[in-house]
Amino acid sequence: MRTVTLRAIEPEDLEVLYQIENDSQEWALGCSNVPYSRYVLHEYIANQSCDIYADKQVRLMVVNEDKVPVGIVDLVNFDPKNRRAELGMIIMRQYRHQGYGKLALNEICRYALTTLHLKQIYLYVDTNNMECVNLFENHCNLMPVRLKDWLYDGREYQDALLFQIIL
């Protein structure tokens, strides 16, 4: 049976983080469009406080039942007054289509509710990313909002769906 846990990023995760952050095919899905050096990522790992109130974000490794990292989840743009944060999640290519995305989503929602006491999380998904659209449509209790020309992939604009998960 597949399971995942979330844990803080450790120094030994440097190569996994380097691989994920420097996968240019994934840049269109997030806010980054530049590669990160190992040095910059090492400094990030060393200097993060893992305190969402201090950093306004938290980044956690998604590890499977064998304790192998399979992805990363982020809660960013933390808004303590309104008790919400934006979700970012990536499952590494070799672990996709194995149920890890759904499991990671369930775990980050549980963590956001029970540990961080958030009321809601939200995320933006490219309308062309049907795997993610399907995952979040099946998990959300509200219909997404379509945002016209929201994401720019370097060549053209793409529509995005704004999902809101009430915890």
Side-chain angles (χ1 to χ4, degrees), residues 61-139:
M61 297 301 294
V62 179
V63 295
N64 69 11
E65 58 280 354
D66 297 322
K67 305 297 182 217
V68 175
V70 298
I72 298 175
V73 293
D74 300 303
L75 291 173
V76 300
N77 299 324
F78 173 58
D79 179 348
K81 178 182 181 283
N82 294 300
R83 297 176 40 217
R84 66 177 169 239
E86 181 179 348
L87 173 66
M89 181 171 73
I90 188 159
I91 302 298
M92 297 166 60
R93 285 185 207 292
Q94 62 268 38
Y95 298 106
R96 293 180 185 167
H97 309 289
Q98 298 176 40
Y100 290 122
K102 182 178 181 178
L103 293 168
L105 179 58
N106 289 337
E107 283 300 306
I108 195 63
C109 286
R110 184 191 58 73
Y111 175 78
L113 177 64
T114 63
T115 303
L116 301 177
H117 308 290
L118 297 183
K119 169 70 174 165
Q120 58 189 295
I121 56 178
Y122 63 94
L123 64 143
Y124 301 95
V125 178
D126 184 328
T127 55
N128 296 318
N129 188 344
M130 290 311 298
E131 292 173 15
C132 286
V133 168
N134 290 335
L135 172 66
F136 293 110
E137 278 185 341
N138 290 330
H139 192 84

Side-chain angles (χ1 to χ4, degrees), residues 14 37-48:
L14 178 61
S37 70
R38 282 182 178 82
Y39 175 79
V40 167
L41 294 172
H42 177 271
E43 291 298 301
Y44 168 77
I45 292 170
N47 294 315
Q48 67 176 343

